[in-house]
Amino acid sequence: MTTLDHAGPGRPARGPSRWVALGWQLLGLVLILGVWWLLTDVLKLYPPYVFPGPKAVWTEISYGLWGSGPQDGKLLSAIGGSLRRMLTGYLIAVALGVLVGLLMGAWRPLRTTLGAYLTGIQSVPSIAFVPFAILFFGLNERAALAVVILEGFIPMALAVSGALLNVPPALRVAGRTLGANSLGLTLRVLLPASLPNILTGLRTAWSFAWRALVGGELLIGGVASLGEQLEVGRNTANVALVLATIIIIGLIGGLFDALLRTFEGRVRRDYGLEVPQ
């Protein structure tokens, strides 16, 4: 019996393929851990202070999250501080990005001028803005927040502007024919029609902002953050702590990306845009 037999007419068959993908991902994780353990704990190709094994990294994670030791609880407070900073900056960036994106989508001169500048600024690595933010705001967390807002705002504004341009002209004509004014047309027709593309922009903005946050915290320091934990690991030559922090950064970023991707997938299925596999 094939997968399509379970799916039913008009419904994508996602269940089995999702579990198969999860199985492959878990197998890949086991292989990575196995190779890591083989190189460090069995073959001992590198000294522990250069490339520690999985057990040493796990010890740092357990100390930092729930155990007792040199980093007792500090990793947990660092996660809380970074998430608080990230969510604050991300929400501000999304709000500004939606507003500017709407204006760019509605007014062509603004789209051709500001849009071109934003595209150029987007190509600049986020770490390049940190020195300017430090000089402008001082050596504090406001500088990191400013970089997060900038890196989240630009992809969000470009995504909203582009999504509005991709709305089929027939919907605009239908809205106008039914008597909608500019505001009503935007809120009731254009925004709902462009929602799938806007959600893609939300996910891109999260990715840009998350990377900018860690880079900013790494240089600013002095506040409870994942970036500070990286700096502490570097200053104390604790490579296990550095790797533990990198793993946590990746896990948090991947978790939020998966949540946004799941929401995006549901919306795309509701819009009939999901391709059955």
Side-chain angles (χ1 to χ4, degrees), residues 44-182:
K44 300 185 184 300
L45 294 180
Y46 305 95
Y49 58 88
V50 173
F51 189 18
K55 183 179 179 181
V57 174
W58 173 251
T59 300
E60 287 295 335
I61 293 177
S62 62
Y63 281 164
L65 293 183
W66 58 77
S68 59
Q71 294 296 321
D72 184 16
K74 291 184 178 178
L75 205 49
L76 188 61
S77 62
I79 293 173
S82 291
L83 283 180
R84 174 183 56 79
R85 218 165 285 116
M86 176 64 191
L87 292 176
T88 303
Y90 181 68
L91 292 176
I92 295 174
V94 169
L96 290 176
V98 170
L99 177 62
V100 174
L102 288 174
L103 294 175
M104 289 169 58
W107 193 27
R108 185 184 181 92
L110 183 64
R111 184 169 64 251
T112 56
T113 54
L114 183 59
Y117 294 133
L118 292 181
T119 302
I121 295 174
Q122 192 178 27
S123 65
V124 179
S126 60
I127 198 71
F129 293 107
V130 176
F132 171 76
I134 292 176
L135 292 174
F136 193 85
F137 292 100
L139 199 61
N140 51 55
E141 66 177 287
R142 286 187 300 170
L145 195 62
V147 178
V148 170
I149 293 173
L150 177 64
E151 288 298 311
F153 155 73
I154 294 177
M156 196 65 221
L158 294 176
V160 172
S161 174
L164 293 179
L165 293 179
N166 289 326
V167 174
L171 293 180
R172 296 175 182 269
V173 175
R176 291 291 188 190
T177 303
L178 293 174
N181 55 23
S182 297

Side-chain angles (χ1 to χ4, degrees), residues 146-234:
V147 178
V148 170
I149 293 173
L150 177 64
E151 288 298 311
F153 155 73
I154 294 177
M156 196 65 221
L158 294 176
V160 172
S161 174
L164 293 179
L165 293 179
N166 289 326
V167 174
L171 293 180
R172 296 175 182 269
V173 175
R176 291 291 188 190
T177 303
L178 293 174
N181 55 23
S182 297
L183 182 61
L185 183 68
T186 300
L187 296 179
R188 297 182 181 181
V189 179
L190 299 183
L191 277 179
S194 56
L195 184 58
N197 291 329
I198 292 177
L199 290 177
T200 303
L202 278 175
R203 193 156 52 80
T204 305
W206 170 269
S207 176
F208 275 67
W210 181 241
R211 284 180 290 181
L213 172 70
V214 176
E217 290 176 340
L218 181 62
L219 295 182
I220 291 171
V223 294
S225 66
L226 291 169
E228 184 199 31
Q229 289 298 297
L230 291 173
E231 188 66 9
V232 169
R234 185 184 71 86

Side-chain angles (χ1 to χ4, degrees), residues 241-274:
L241 175 60
V242 172
L243 290 177
T245 307
I246 291 174
I247 291 173
I248 290 177
I249 291 171
L251 287 175
I252 294 175
L255 176 63
F256 275 87
D257 183 79
L259 291 175
L260 292 173
R261 189 185 295 273
T262 300
F263 182 55
E264 178 188 0
R266 290 184 177 180
V267 172
R268 290 180 63 83
R269 285 198 298 276
D270 292 341
Y271 277 65
L273 299 174
E274 194 77 1

